[in-house]
Amino acid sequence: MIRFAACVLAALFAFSSFALADDDDDDDDERSHRQQDLAKLHNMLYQKNCASCHFAYQADLLPSRSWKAIMQPSALVKHFGDNAELAEGERLAISAFLQANAADVRRTRWSKKLLRGLSKHETPLRITKLSYFVRLHDEVPTRLVTGNPRVRSWSNCSACHTEAKQGSFREHEIDIPGDNFWDFD
Ligand code: HEC
Ligand code: HEC
């Protein structure tokens, strides 16, 4: 009888802890859905406000301190010779989104390499000035970049990296416009 009671108790305990765990999972699911919705919203805000003049550089291409500096109100009004001023709410949301997904926060395919050799005291404002970037691209002749009307600038990643907007910079996806002698268009 004692054994039977123990079994029932054990079963009840197992069941209740299972039910509790299930509750927890629901909470976690809801929380992670809410976080995903928020991340989507922040990404939409970023695309809307930061992809009109150039492509939306992925947050993991710069460390968080760089995004923080770029997103200062005083910096946005003189953003690389342009005015990229934002409403305060949008500025704060985009700045938080970029910093939360930055190269020194999220480990991604390029993040670690991009940060290599960068001192903590340096706050680069350009991806294209990072030594890793420069080394990666130093074999591409300038006539194909600044001297190329279809590229014009190193900052124009998506001109050569056909999947850059999807965050992919793999070698087989590179197509420098005008690089092939049979490329007449
Ligand atoms: C009004 C146009 C405009 C808007 C809007 C704009 N930018 Fe820019 N951005 C520029 C120009 C111009 C450059 C310099 C491009 C070049 O050198 O070819 C630049 C360069 C950059 C670079 C450096 C790219 C490199 O060379 O590595 C980053 C990072 C950047 N912008 C982030 C942002 C963010 C974040 C936003 C949104 C808050 C934003 N930009 C909105 C015009 C703009
Ligand atoms: C003029 C064309 C051009 C532009 C503009 C350009 N790239 Fe590249 N990129 C290349 C080429 C070519 C390579 C391959 C270099 C090699 O492997 O020798 C490369 C390589 C890379 C790689 C490494 C790919 C791999 O699989 O090893 C990354 C990451 C990258 N580029 C990111 C960027 C980013 C970010 C930008 C914009 C800020 C950019 N590139 C702008 C042409 C370009």
Side-chain angles (χ1 to χ4, degrees), residues 148-177:
N148 185 345
R150 286 159 70 194
V151 181
R152 294 183 321 277
S153 165
W154 277 119
S155 312
N156 194 3
C157 320
S158 51
C160 304
H161 293 278
T162 58
E163 301 297 319
K165 285 181 184 137
Q166 281 70 50
S168 181
F169 297 90
R170 288 164 208 265
E171 247 182 293
H172 66 272
E173 298 156 351
I174 299 169
D175 180 15
I176 307 180

Side-chain angles (χ1 to χ4, degrees), residues 12-92:
L12 268 174
F13 181 74
F15 178 76
S16 61
S17 56
F18 177 76
L20 276 175
D22 208 17
D23 266 8
D24 268 2
D25 274 359
D26 279 356
D27 277 357
D28 281 352
D29 269 4
E30 206 182 305
R31 213 174 301 134
S32 86
H33 275 139
R34 237 180 294 139
Q35 275 166 0
Q36 277 170 20
D37 287 348
L38 206 61
K40 260 189 226 152
L41 183 74
H42 288 167
N43 188 36
M44 259 170 56
L45 273 180
Y46 179 50
Q47 299 287 336
K48 186 181 96 175
N49 289 292
C50 304
S52 49
C53 302
H54 46 68
F55 115 98
Y57 306 110
Q58 281 78 21
D60 65 344
L61 293 171
L62 281 174
S64 47
R65 59 186 180 281
S66 296
W67 292 121
K68 193 175 171 192
I70 289 168
M71 294 303 294
Q72 291 301 315
S74 56
L76 283 173
V77 293
K78 44 179 177 56
H79 176 85
F80 303 96
D82 265 324
N83 186 346
E85 201 176 7
L86 291 172
E88 187 60 4
E90 295 193 323
R91 184 187 70 81
L92 289 171

